[in-house]
Amino acid sequence: LPAFDSNVAWDLGNIIRANCIQQFPWPSVIYISHANSSQLLFFATSGPGTLPDNMEWAKRKEAVVRRWGVSTLRMGLEMRQPGKSVQQAVKDTFELEDASPYCCHAGGFPVKVRGVEGVVGVIVVTGVAKPDESWHNVIVDGIKEY
């Protein structure tokens, strides 16, 4: 992106929310934060029916993006190993005692700004449906639309 602040987060969040309403038959949570502080810049649901647990999933996806600077979809694909769950692969690869703070299902995405090194923000889409690439794609489509 050319810039990222609370106004950009608001605009992006509303675009992504509208796309979730159009594309998904299930309720979703849209969550956007600063990467360096986890300061929440945008939070909304696409409709009724989300659960308190959705926020836990959002925070776990955010943790992946903040720690490794990549989308949760990418991390999940990179961590696939025969005979291991992605969670176990993360734990073993990074020598973690506990990998539960991290979730490598699609739907967490880094925000980068042209000319700025590193990740400046995190966008998460999660919901009550089975996680799949559609959460990643709705974020990418929203960024393209923005």
Side-chain angles (χ1 to χ4, degrees), residues 30-85:
I30 302 92
Y31 174 103
I32 303 177
S33 66
H34 272 297
N36 62 349
S37 66
S38 285
Q39 178 187 4
L40 187 59
L41 300 175
F42 183 90
F43 181 84
T45 66
S46 63
T50 59
L51 304 169
D53 191 47
N54 295 133
M55 192 61 180
E56 296 303 316
W57 282 88
K59 296 302 284 181
R60 292 174 63 213
K61 290 179 182 186
E62 177 190 37
V64 168
V65 176
R66 289 180 70 207
R67 180 161 182 171
W68 291 290
V70 298
S71 73
T72 53
L73 176 61
R74 178 176 170 183
M75 181 60 83
L77 292 172
E78 288 179 0
M79 289 295 109
R80 286 189 181 157
Q81 297 176 12
K84 285 188 183 181
S85 69

Side-chain angles (χ1 to χ4, degrees), residues 36-145:
N36 62 349
S37 66
S38 285
Q39 178 187 4
L40 187 59
L41 300 175
F42 183 90
F43 181 84
T45 66
S46 63
T50 59
L51 304 169
D53 191 47
N54 295 133
M55 192 61 180
E56 296 303 316
W57 282 88
K59 296 302 284 181
R60 292 174 63 213
K61 290 179 182 186
E62 177 190 37
V64 168
V65 176
R66 289 180 70 207
R67 180 161 182 171
W68 291 290
V70 298
S71 73
T72 53
L73 176 61
R74 178 176 170 183
M75 181 60 83
L77 292 172
E78 288 179 0
M79 289 295 109
R80 286 189 181 157
Q81 297 176 12
K84 285 188 183 181
S85 69
V86 170
Q87 203 72 8
Q88 187 63 47
V90 169
K91 184 177 178 181
D92 294 347
T93 301
F94 297 103
E95 299 178 359
L96 303 172
E97 286 188 32
D98 180 17
S100 66
Y102 305 103
C103 170
C104 296
H105 293 294
F109 198 89
V111 176
K112 297 183 178 184
V113 171
R114 197 171 295 116
V116 177
E117 189 174 339
V119 176
V120 298
V122 179
I123 302 172
V124 175
V125 175
T126 193
V128 297
K130 184 178 188 283
D132 65 18
E133 293 179 17
S134 61
W135 290 340
H136 177 88
N137 294 339
V138 78
I139 296 169
V140 172
D141 292 345
I143 292 170
K144 288 178 182 176
E145 187 176 334

Side-chain angles (χ1 to χ4, degrees), residues 21-33:
I21 291 168
Q22 277 187 332
Q23 296 176 27
F24 302 151
W26 59 80
S28 302
V29 166
I30 302 92
Y31 174 103
I32 303 177
S33 66

